[in-house]
Short mmCIF file of all heavy atoms in Angstrom, two decimals:
data_model
loop_
_atom_site.label_atom_id
_atom_site.label_comp_id
_atom_site.label_asym_id
_atom_site.label_seq_id
_atom_site.Cartn_x
_atom_site.Cartn_y
_atom_site.Cartn_z
N SER A 137 -24.31 13.08 18.45
CA SER A 137 -23.64 12.72 17.18
C SER A 137 -22.11 12.99 17.33
O SER A 137 -21.68 13.71 18.30
CB SER A 137 -24.17 13.51 16.01
OG SER A 137 -23.54 14.81 15.91
N PHE A 138 -21.36 12.46 16.37
CA PHE A 138 -19.88 12.65 16.42
C PHE A 138 -19.50 14.09 16.18
O PHE A 138 -18.32 14.44 16.46
CB PHE A 138 -19.25 11.79 15.30
CG PHE A 138 -19.55 12.31 13.92
CD1 PHE A 138 -18.81 13.37 13.36
CD2 PHE A 138 -20.58 11.77 13.17
CE1 PHE A 138 -19.08 13.83 12.10
CE2 PHE A 138 -20.88 12.26 11.93
CZ PHE A 138 -20.14 13.27 11.38
N LYS A 139 -20.43 14.97 15.80
CA LYS A 139 -20.06 16.38 15.54
C LYS A 139 -19.43 17.00 16.77
O LYS A 139 -18.66 17.94 16.65
CB LYS A 139 -21.27 17.17 15.05
CG LYS A 139 -21.99 16.64 13.80
CD LYS A 139 -21.09 16.69 12.57
CE LYS A 139 -21.74 16.53 11.22
NZ LYS A 139 -22.62 15.39 10.94
N ASN A 165 -27.28 17.81 12.55
CA ASN A 165 -26.39 17.50 13.71
C ASN A 165 -25.29 18.51 13.92
O ASN A 165 -24.91 18.81 15.09
CB ASN A 165 -25.82 16.09 13.55
CG ASN A 165 -26.85 15.02 13.88
OD1 ASN A 165 -27.76 15.27 14.69
ND2 ASN A 165 -26.73 13.89 13.23
N THR A 166 -24.77 19.07 12.87
CA THR A 166 -23.72 20.07 13.03
C THR A 166 -24.29 21.28 13.77
O THR A 166 -23.65 21.89 14.66
CB THR A 166 -23.13 20.51 11.66
OG1 THR A 166 -22.57 19.34 11.05
CG2 THR A 166 -22.03 21.54 11.83
N LYS A 194 -33.04 17.49 16.01
CA LYS A 194 -31.84 18.34 15.74
C LYS A 194 -32.23 19.83 15.79
O LYS A 194 -31.48 20.64 16.36
CB LYS A 194 -31.25 17.95 14.38
CG LYS A 194 -30.93 16.45 14.27
CD LYS A 194 -30.50 16.03 12.88
CE LYS A 194 -30.38 14.49 12.80
NZ LYS A 194 -29.86 14.05 11.47
N SER A 233 -17.24 21.09 8.09
CA SER A 233 -16.06 20.20 8.06
C SER A 233 -15.01 20.65 7.04
O SER A 233 -13.91 20.08 6.94
CB SER A 233 -16.44 18.72 7.83
OG SER A 233 -17.20 18.59 6.65
N GLN A 242 -12.37 15.07 15.05
CA GLN A 242 -13.05 13.86 14.60
C GLN A 242 -12.04 12.69 14.35
O GLN A 242 -12.44 11.52 14.32
CB GLN A 242 -13.86 14.14 13.33
CG GLN A 242 -15.08 15.00 13.68
CD GLN A 242 -15.83 15.53 12.49
OE1 GLN A 242 -16.36 16.64 12.54
NE2 GLN A 242 -15.92 14.77 11.39
N PRO A 267 -20.96 5.96 7.02
CA PRO A 267 -21.80 6.78 6.18
C PRO A 267 -21.02 7.98 5.65
O PRO A 267 -20.17 8.52 6.40
CB PRO A 267 -22.96 7.21 7.08
CG PRO A 267 -22.59 6.83 8.46
CD PRO A 267 -21.35 6.05 8.44
N VAL A 268 -21.32 8.41 4.46
CA VAL A 268 -20.61 9.57 3.87
C VAL A 268 -21.59 10.65 3.48
O VAL A 268 -22.52 10.44 2.71
CB VAL A 268 -19.78 9.11 2.63
CG1 VAL A 268 -19.15 10.33 1.94
CG2 VAL A 268 -18.70 8.13 3.03
N GLY A 269 -21.34 11.83 4.04
CA GLY A 269 -22.08 13.05 3.65
C GLY A 269 -21.14 14.01 2.97
O GLY A 269 -20.91 13.97 1.77
N ASN A 270 -20.47 14.83 3.77
CA ASN A 270 -19.39 15.73 3.26
C ASN A 270 -18.04 15.02 3.28
O ASN A 270 -17.04 15.63 2.97
CB ASN A 270 -19.32 17.00 4.08
CG ASN A 270 -20.25 18.04 3.52
OD1 ASN A 270 -20.24 18.31 2.30
ND2 ASN A 270 -21.09 18.63 4.32
N ALA A 271 -18.03 13.76 3.73
CA ALA A 271 -16.80 12.95 3.75
C ALA A 271 -15.76 13.45 4.73
O ALA A 271 -14.55 13.15 4.59
CB ALA A 271 -16.21 12.79 2.36
N GLY A 272 -16.19 14.20 5.74
CA GLY A 272 -15.26 14.68 6.77
C GLY A 272 -14.69 13.51 7.60
O GLY A 272 -13.48 13.43 7.82
N ASN A 273 -15.56 12.60 8.02
CA ASN A 273 -15.08 11.47 8.81
C ASN A 273 -14.16 10.56 8.01
O ASN A 273 -13.18 10.05 8.57
CB ASN A 273 -16.25 10.65 9.36
CG ASN A 273 -16.75 11.21 10.70
OD1 ASN A 273 -15.99 11.87 11.40
ND2 ASN A 273 -17.98 10.92 11.04
N THR A 274 -14.53 10.34 6.74
CA THR A 274 -13.66 9.50 5.90
C THR A 274 -12.25 10.09 5.89
O THR A 274 -11.24 9.37 6.05
CB THR A 274 -14.23 9.38 4.51
OG1 THR A 274 -15.63 9.16 4.58
CG2 THR A 274 -13.54 8.30 3.67
N ALA A 332 -29.32 13.24 7.20
CA ALA A 332 -27.97 13.67 7.61
C ALA A 332 -26.94 13.52 6.49
O ALA A 332 -25.92 14.17 6.50
CB ALA A 332 -27.50 12.91 8.84
N ILE A 333 -27.26 12.66 5.51
CA ILE A 333 -26.34 12.47 4.37
C ILE A 333 -26.99 12.83 3.06
O ILE A 333 -26.63 12.35 2.00
CB ILE A 333 -25.73 11.04 4.32
CG1 ILE A 333 -26.80 9.97 4.42
CG2 ILE A 333 -24.72 10.87 5.52
CD1 ILE A 333 -26.32 8.55 4.17
N GLU A 378 -30.05 6.82 14.18
CA GLU A 378 -30.86 7.54 13.17
C GLU A 378 -30.54 6.92 11.79
O GLU A 378 -29.56 6.22 11.61
CB GLU A 378 -30.57 9.01 13.18
CG GLU A 378 -29.14 9.41 12.83
CD GLU A 378 -29.04 10.93 12.56
OE1 GLU A 378 -29.56 11.39 11.49
OE2 GLU A 378 -28.45 11.60 13.38
N ALA A 380 -29.24 7.80 8.80
CA ALA A 380 -27.94 7.93 8.15
C ALA A 380 -26.91 6.97 8.76
O ALA A 380 -26.09 6.39 8.03
CB ALA A 380 -27.41 9.33 8.28
N SER A 381 -26.99 6.76 10.05
CA SER A 381 -26.04 5.86 10.73
C SER A 381 -26.20 4.42 10.27
O SER A 381 -25.20 3.68 10.12
CB SER A 381 -26.30 5.88 12.23
OG SER A 381 -26.26 7.23 12.73
N THR A 408 -23.37 7.12 13.36
CA THR A 408 -22.97 8.50 13.56
C THR A 408 -23.92 9.31 14.47
O THR A 408 -23.48 10.30 15.07
CB THR A 408 -22.90 9.15 12.15
OG1 THR A 408 -24.01 8.65 11.39
CG2 THR A 408 -21.60 8.83 11.47
N GLY A 409 -25.22 8.92 14.55
CA GLY A 409 -26.16 9.72 15.30
C GLY A 409 -27.18 8.85 16.04
O GLY A 409 -27.49 7.71 15.63
C1 PLP B 5 -22.73 14.73 9.69
C2 PLP B 5 -23.28 13.35 9.65
C3 PLP B 5 -22.88 12.41 8.69
C4 PLP B 5 -21.95 12.75 7.57
O1 PLP B 5 -20.61 12.77 7.99
P1 PLP B 5 -19.47 13.32 6.99
O2 PLP B 5 -18.28 13.38 7.87
O3 PLP B 5 -19.93 14.68 6.54
O4 PLP B 5 -19.35 12.40 5.88
C5 PLP B 5 -23.39 11.14 8.78
N1 PLP B 5 -24.26 10.77 9.74
C6 PLP B 5 -24.72 11.68 10.65
C7 PLP B 5 -25.70 11.23 11.65
C8 PLP B 5 -24.25 12.98 10.64
O5 PLP B 5 -24.68 13.81 11.54
#
Side-chain angles (χ1 to χ4, degrees):
S137 86
F138 70 83
K139 302 297 195 306
N165 284 330
T166 301
K194 306 174 187 182
S233 56
Q242 290 171 216
V268 174
N270 272 310
N273 273 337
T274 315
I333 51 172
E378 65 165 289
S381 304
T408 40

